[in-house]
Amino acid sequence: MKKLGLLFFATGLLLAGCGSSGASTESSQAASGSASSGSAATENVEILAVGSTALQPLVEVASESYTSENPNYTITVQGGGSGTGLSQVEAGAVTIGNSDVFAEEKDGVDASKLVDHKVAVVGMAPVVNKEVGVTDISKQDLIGIFTGKITNWSELGGADQEIAVINRASGSGTRATFEKWGLDGAETIQTQEQDSSGTVRKIVAETPGAISYLALSYLDDTLQALSLDGVEPTAETIADNQWPIWSYEHMYTNGEPDANVKAFLDYILTEDVQQGAVKDLGYLPITDMKVERSVDGDVTNVE
């Protein structure tokens, strides 16, 4: 963090010496990381980032550290789900729409209006109450649970306990990713739905027999993450796609961002944040991925 502090100090000095340079110059400087963060020291900048609760912890931490060194910035971060983030940024109601899915995957969203800024990768895992007595199941068993074909943990060698499925709301990017890559697109049973990752974690931890799914950034020792077919959800298995339940974390803007917004987005992509907060919070840096996955699901090796 000493290095990060020095970077902020140097950036602060440069900001103080800047006049009102043009947006193109500021954008260039922000991208190179060699000069201004993109705003004059006296210019107030307000950014509202809304959407994915899976991405929310990273954006919150990044905004706190960025605004502490750039006090002219006010960055507000809210959840609501990826669908909300995408629809709100398309409508011009927010500055940034945070999403776990590509804009092209959301019905009713005109992806051609939006610019994608991938800032991290998030892995997701099925999670259960720690008393169910199961730690590894097959992918087919997972599909069986969420489609209602398997209803008691004893059917999988666990406790004689009825399975309580907790789903995410229909607009959730976490749900879309889990259904696509964890359930092979199977339609889940009608059950309790929650729109907050934090709420899901609390309910699963406190409800006997409960199962749901969370981004790895939300896992803690109050839950049991399940492995699938012997593969555990880890950074290493996600990086080479052995664990397929993952998605890019997108921060969409309506068109190209102005220099001030771009400065904040560029900051999240700096080595200090990618190798610091990104990893500390359970995400994967973009640069650590050994594969790339397109919106159509095509997987290719990173050269």
Side-chain angles (χ1 to χ4, degrees), residues 192-236:
Q192 177 183 167
E193 295 184 355
Q194 297 292 333
D195 62 3
S196 164
S197 296
T199 302
V200 168
R201 178 173 58 191
K202 186 175 188 295
I203 291 175
V204 173
E206 297 177 355
T207 305
I211 182 172
S212 190
Y213 43 91
L214 286 168
L216 268 58
S217 53
Y218 276 89
L219 301 189
D220 61 23
D221 59 8
T222 67
L223 307 168
Q224 172 65 56
L226 296 182
S227 56
L228 296 178
D229 298 305
V231 179
E232 296 182 3
T234 67
E236 291 74 24

Side-chain angles (χ1 to χ4, degrees), residues 49-50 59 65 114 130 132 158 173 177 206 209 269 293-294 297:
V50 172
V59 182
S65 59
L114 306 181
K130 295 182 76 172
V132 303
T177 298
E206 297 177 355
L269 294 176
R293 192 162 69 192
S294 71

Side-chain angles (χ1 to χ4, degrees), residues 126 136-147 150 178-186 227-230 242-245:
D136 177 80
I137 62 176
S138 70
K139 191 176 187 182
Q140 287 307 306
D141 287 338
L142 183 68
I143 294 172
I145 290 172
F146 278 86
T147 56
I150 299 174
F178 182 76
E179 289 181 343
K180 183 174 184 178
W181 301 108
L183 305 180
D184 293 340
S227 56
L228 296 178
D229 298 305
Q242 288 185 66
W243 182 267
I245 313 175

Side-chain angles (χ1 to χ4, degrees), residues 4 35 88 125 151 185 191 259 278 300:
L4 184 58
Q88 290 292 298
T151 59
T191 186
V278 170
T300 55

Side-chain angles (χ1 to χ4, degrees), residues 12-256:
L13 290 176
L14 286 165
L15 279 170
C18 284
S20 55
S21 57
S24 62
T25 302
E26 291 169 0
S27 176
S28 171
Q29 290 173 334
S32 67
S34 61
S36 169
S37 66
S39 67
T42 57
E43 180 183 355
N44 291 325
V45 180
E46 294 186 3
I47 294 174
L48 175 59
V50 172
S52 164
T53 57
L55 178 54
Q56 190 173 351
L58 174 60
V59 182
E60 286 178 339
V61 168
S63 64
E64 287 170 6
S65 59
Y66 192 75
T67 56
S68 69
E69 300 297 334
N70 296 275
N72 56 311
Y73 274 71
T74 300
I75 303 175
T76 304
V77 185
Q78 299 175 356
S82 298
T84 297
L86 290 170
S87 62
Q88 290 292 298
V89 73
E90 181 194 354
V94 303
T95 320
I96 296 171
N98 296 329
S99 176
D100 307 322
V101 297
F102 287 92
E104 291 86 346
E105 297 179 270
K106 279 294 180 184
D107 293 337
V109 173
D110 186 354
S112 67
K113 294 181 179 179
L114 306 181
V115 176
D116 187 7
H117 310 272
K118 299 183 185 72
V119 296
V121 166
V122 61
M124 299 167 192
V127 294
V128 297
N129 182 277
K130 295 182 76 172
E131 303 303 317
V132 303
V134 173
T135 59
D136 177 80
I137 62 176
S138 70
K139 191 176 187 182
Q140 287 307 306
D141 287 338
L142 183 68
I143 294 172
I145 290 172
F146 278 86
T147 56
K149 295 177 181 177
I150 299 174
T151 59
N152 194 295
W153 288 109
S154 62
E155 298 176 59
L156 301 175
D160 183 9
Q161 174 69 59
E162 184 178 351
I163 297 174
V165 175
I166 312 298
N167 217 336
R168 297 299 300 276
S170 58
S172 164
T174 301
R175 175 172 175 170
T177 298
F178 182 76
E179 289 181 343
K180 183 174 184 178
W181 301 108
L183 305 180
D184 293 340
E187 185 175 347
T188 62
I189 58 173
Q190 294 295 316
T191 186
Q192 177 183 167
E193 295 184 355
Q194 297 292 333
D195 62 3
S196 164
S197 296
T199 302
V200 168
R201 178 173 58 191
K202 186 175 188 295
I203 291 175
V204 173
E206 297 177 355
T207 305
I211 182 172
S212 190
Y213 43 91
L214 286 168
L216 268 58
S217 53
Y218 276 89
L219 301 189
D220 61 23
D221 59 8
T222 67
L223 307 168
Q224 172 65 56
L226 296 182
S227 56
L228 296 178
D229 298 305
V231 179
E232 296 182 3
T234 67
E236 291 74 24
T237 58
I238 292 168
D240 62 8
N241 205 46
Q242 288 185 66
W243 182 267
I245 313 175
W246 61 270
S247 69
Y248 292 106
E249 290 291 21
H250 312 260
M251 296 179 72
Y252 279 97
T253 54
N254 193 326
E256 292 292 341

Side-chain angles (χ1 to χ4, degrees), residues 278-300:
V278 170
K279 285 187 171 181
D280 292 343
L281 292 170
Y283 305 89
L284 280 74
I286 290 287
T287 52
D288 285 1
M289 292 298 291
K290 298 178 181 178
V291 298
E292 293 179 339
R293 192 162 69 192
S294 71
V295 64
D296 298 320
D298 296 327
V299 177
T300 55

